[in-house]
Amino acid sequence: MYTIFWQMASTETPRKEIPSPRGKPKGDKRERTRTALLEAARALIRENGYERTTLEEVARRAGMTTGAIYGNFKNRDELFIALGQKYWAPIAPEVAAGATFAEAMRAFAKATLAAVHDRTPAAVGRLTGLAYALTNSELRARVHEVTNASYEMGAEWLRIFDPRELPMPPDVLVRVLHALIEGLVWQRILTPELCPDEVFYEAFAALAPNCRPGRGSEADDR
């Protein structure tokens, strides 16, 4: 399912979590529980499909109680959304403060290329999830909510750039970026020889025609 499709990689030093009395960071147990449940759900979906995967079965497969799963996921839709967020992770471009729009687009090209490696093993599951969402009106409505929230967040981020650098309004551009990212990733996975690195860099550079990078910029980013 579609989820938040990009997140900004922080250029600041990450804040350390406060250790618990036993020496593990707070929230570590909860994260391990969620991971175990998601892995169990992923295995069951591969075996039985989305339609026949229940929260109760996921809990049993993970060796946990139903209380554990309902403590992490409100319902099946939320579980399936979480699967997409974990196994089809958002693009995380590293854009320095004060960067130009063209520099941001080069960062997007680089990050999208990097995502192909991690997304490839999840490609079949992703397609299966999308097909299921198309046949389930409630899940599709939830995907719409999550995607719309992602668009709003992305459009707000795009407004940090000089409007004269943007090829279109931010609320339109964010949707174009989403389509571009997904299309490039899928084409690279399906026909890698027909979608070399240059295509990624040229595609994003085309969105910044007034400050197009010179040849060789993509090589400098690798």
Side-chain angles (χ1 to χ4, degrees), residues 11 13 67 89-90 101 108 213:
T11 56
T13 302
F101 181 66
F108 263 91

Side-chain angles (χ1 to χ4, degrees), residues 6 9 20 44 53 69 76 84 95 103 118 125 127 130 185 214-215 222:
W6 94 57
S20 69
L44 283 168
T53 296
I69 197 163
R76 285 205 320 156
V95 181
E103 290 168 340
D118 293 331
L127 287 173
L130 290 173
V185 169
R215 293 284 180 177
R222 292 175 201 164

Side-chain angles (χ1 to χ4, degrees), residues 70-159:
Y70 283 107
N72 284 275
F73 305 103
K74 179 181 178 181
N75 50 41
R76 285 205 320 156
D77 289 354
E78 295 304 316
L79 172 64
F80 294 157
I81 292 291
L83 276 171
Q85 291 173 328
K86 181 174 179 63
Y87 296 106
W88 198 262
I91 303 299
E94 295 183 1
V95 181
T100 65
F101 181 66
E103 290 168 340
M105 289 302 95
R106 287 198 293 276
F108 263 91
K110 183 178 181 180
T112 302
L113 270 168
V116 172
H117 178 270
D118 293 331
R119 287 184 172 190
T120 298
V124 173
R126 176 73 167 184
L127 287 173
T128 303
L130 290 173
Y132 178 67
L134 288 173
T135 63
N136 185 300
S137 60
E138 291 183 2
L139 178 57
R140 192 170 182 178
R142 182 66 182 115
V143 170
H144 179 277
E145 292 177 4
V146 173
T147 306
N148 187 59
S150 176
Y151 285 161
E152 291 178 353
M153 178 190 69
E156 186 63 27
W157 177 77
L158 286 167
R159 292 188 180 96

Side-chain angles (χ1 to χ4, degrees), residues 174-216:
V174 71
R175 289 161 170 78
V176 171
L177 282 170
H178 187 190
L180 182 60
I181 289 168
E182 293 297 310
L184 286 170
V185 169
W186 280 115
Q187 203 60 42
R188 178 63 170 254
I189 291 173
L190 184 63
T191 57
E193 299 83 2
L194 301 179
C195 195
D197 292 7
E198 180 184 11
V199 171
F200 284 70
Y201 285 98
E202 291 291 344
F204 284 98
L207 292 175
N210 296 328
C211 39
R212 189 177 180 82
R215 293 284 180 177

